[in-house]
């Protein structure tokens, strides 16, 4: 397996893990998650994004973004590693 593929896989796994941790924390403490986002983005109001009682946090709401972020991480990591290798091989 080439270094580019390994880097893509490493980023994909890292993104999948971090998204899973974030989703679990939000499912357990949604109010604190919204407050954290508000603070992180300098007071933007993320309260409107909070799920109401009728809209539960389902496995479908978890799996869709997980797949997208994992694929995106793999593509970005692979392209980054390939480009890094190409630029590293250039002689000044």
């Amino acid at each position: 397996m080439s270094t580019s593929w390994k880097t893509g896989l490493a980023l994909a796994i890292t993104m999948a893990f971090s998204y899973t941790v974030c989703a679990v924390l939000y499912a357990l403490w949604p109010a604190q998650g919204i407050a954290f986002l508000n603070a992180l983005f300098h007071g933007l109001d993320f309260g409107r994004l909070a799920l109401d009682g009728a809209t539960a946090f389902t496995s479908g709401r978890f799996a869709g973004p997980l797949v997208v972020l994992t694929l995106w991480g793999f593509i970005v990591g692979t392209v980054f590693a390939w480009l890094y290798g190409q630029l590293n091989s250039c002689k000044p």
Side-chain angles (χ1 to χ4, degrees), residues 3-77:
T3 302
S4 297
W5 291 93
K6 289 177 186 177
T7 303
L9 186 58
L11 184 57
I13 292 169
T14 302
M15 290 181 73
F17 176 76
S18 61
Y19 174 73
T20 300
V21 169
C22 183
V24 167
L25 291 175
Y26 180 74
L28 294 173
W29 299 290
Q32 290 82 356
I34 294 295
F36 176 75
L37 283 174
N38 289 344
L40 186 65
F41 288 93
H42 309 288
L44 277 171
D45 183 15
F46 284 86
R48 294 179 186 227
L49 298 177
L51 298 175
D52 58 16
T55 310
F57 191 75
T58 64
S59 58
R61 286 183 173 266
F62 170 77
L66 177 67
V67 169
V68 169
L69 287 173
T70 303
L71 288 173
W72 183 247
F74 180 75
I75 292 167
V76 169

